[in-house]
């Protein structure tokens, strides 16, 4: 199995011993050893994935890298976090997914109004199985624990990914900028309940709900 490790906070080093990873197309910055690169279509595996991508628009350009040696990946000096999966499912925005073990399964899932609030459709990418995945974030990502006693409210524009037995609800709310009179429209939040982890970034995307 490929080994993913950070080299600094903005470069991902992947050690390959005849195995493979899938990475965002064009994200390779250097490699040593013997490597083969093959362009794929992201958003899901096989024929079902192709059909789902056409219906949902949750698509990313992906390449498969296979060989022996070390390959380094980066994307516009964006911060990178490595997540380990042990038979679990990771939910992540396609734009925030840099690299996964080739053995992990990718697909799409319905996310309801949260996706619409970000202008990214109603679907998000899923990564399932056992292995490692690398996430991109605008600034260092924070992994916030959610428990039954402590639900979490997240700005949709700051959301990166989540993992665990979590339920999410899209709701209107009030945040600091709205209170100070700086909001550009109605404020929205995602409420996570259950047990798991949510990754958020210290920078916000533009959303249909206004400047959150």
């Amino acid at each position: 199995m490929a080994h993913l490790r950070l080299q600094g906070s903005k470069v991902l080093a992947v050690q390959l011993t005849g195995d493979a990873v899938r990475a965002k197309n064009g994200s390779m910055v250097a490699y040593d050893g013997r490597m083969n690169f093959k362009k794929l279509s992201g958003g899901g595996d096989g024929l079902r994935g192709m059909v789902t991508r056409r219906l949902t628009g949750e698509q990313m350009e992906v390449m498969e890298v296979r060989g022996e040696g070390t390959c380094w990946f980066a994307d516009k000096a964006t911060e990178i976090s490595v997540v380990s999966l042990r038979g679990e499912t990771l939910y992540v925005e396609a734009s925030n997914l840099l690299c996964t073990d080739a053995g992990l399964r990718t697909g799409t899932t319905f996310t309801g109004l949260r996706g619409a609030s970000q202008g990214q459709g109603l679907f998000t990418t899923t990564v399932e199985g056992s292995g490692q995945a690398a996430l991109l974030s605008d600034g260092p990502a924070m992994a916030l624990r959610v428990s039954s006693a402590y639900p979490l409210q997240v700005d949709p524009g700051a959301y990166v990914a989540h993992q665990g037995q979590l339920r999410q609800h899209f709701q209107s709310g009030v945040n600091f900028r709205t209170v100070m009179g700086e909001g550009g429209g109605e404020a929205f939040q995602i409420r996570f309940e259950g047990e798991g982890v949510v990754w958020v970034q210290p920078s916000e995307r533009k959303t249909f709900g206004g400047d959150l």
Side-chain angles (χ1 to χ4, degrees):
M1 183 178 292
H3 177 64
L4 281 61
R5 61 180 173 83
L6 293 178
Q7 190 158 328
S9 64
K10 300 179 181 180
V11 177
L12 178 72
V14 179
Q15 183 70 40
L16 296 173
T17 54
D19 36 18
V21 293
R22 294 174 181 173
K24 187 174 182 179
N25 195 43
S27 62
M28 187 277 294
V29 295
Y31 71 90
D32 61 25
R34 295 180 297 175
M35 299 287 173
N36 291 316
F37 299 87
K38 179 181 178 182
K39 186 175 180 180
L40 304 173
S41 295
D45 298 323
L47 178 61
R48 180 180 179 183
M50 180 182 70
V51 173
T52 302
R53 287 191 300 273
R54 288 183 178 273
L55 292 174
T56 66
E58 180 72 3
Q59 182 170 340
M60 59 183 293
E61 296 294 331
V62 178
M63 61 181 175
E64 181 182 81
V65 183
R66 184 181 298 274
E68 297 182 359
T70 302
C71 196
W72 289 269
F73 300 95
D75 185 55
K76 301 176 183 178
T78 305
E79 299 282 340
I80 302 171
S81 303
V82 176
V83 178
S84 295
L85 299 177
R86 298 175 179 85
E88 303 151 297
T89 300
L90 176 72
Y91 302 84
V92 56
E93 296 297 338
S95 60
N96 292 106
L97 185 60
L98 174 64
C99 181
T100 68
D101 285 331
L104 291 172
R105 302 179 301 278
T106 59
T108 54
T109 189
F110 180 75
T111 59
L113 293 176
R114 181 187 61 73
S117 73
Q118 297 180 51
Q120 297 182 343
L122 298 177
F123 295 80
T124 196
T125 296
T126 59
V127 182
E128 301 177 82
S130 296
Q132 293 176 295
L135 307 180
L136 296 168
S137 59
D138 189 0
M142 298 180 291
L144 304 179
R145 174 66 61 179
V146 182
S147 69
S148 57
Y150 294 97
L152 180 71
Q153 276 71 229
V154 174
D155 186 319
Y159 170 84
V160 173
H162 73 271
Q163 178 183 15
Q165 301 301 313
L166 292 176
R167 302 178 303 278
Q168 55 179 315
H169 309 283
F170 184 73
Q171 61 185 28
S172 60
V174 177
N175 62 17
F176 176 77
R177 293 186 183 182
T178 304
V179 172
M180 296 299 293
E182 298 178 358
E186 185 178 1
F188 298 95
Q189 299 172 347
I190 316 166
R191 180 181 175 88
F192 288 93
E193 300 174 347
E195 300 287 339
V197 177
V198 179
W199 282 267
V200 299
Q201 61 186 10
S203 179
E204 299 165 313
R205 307 177 187 88
K206 292 290 185 180
T207 71
F208 288 165
D211 296 327
L212 303 185

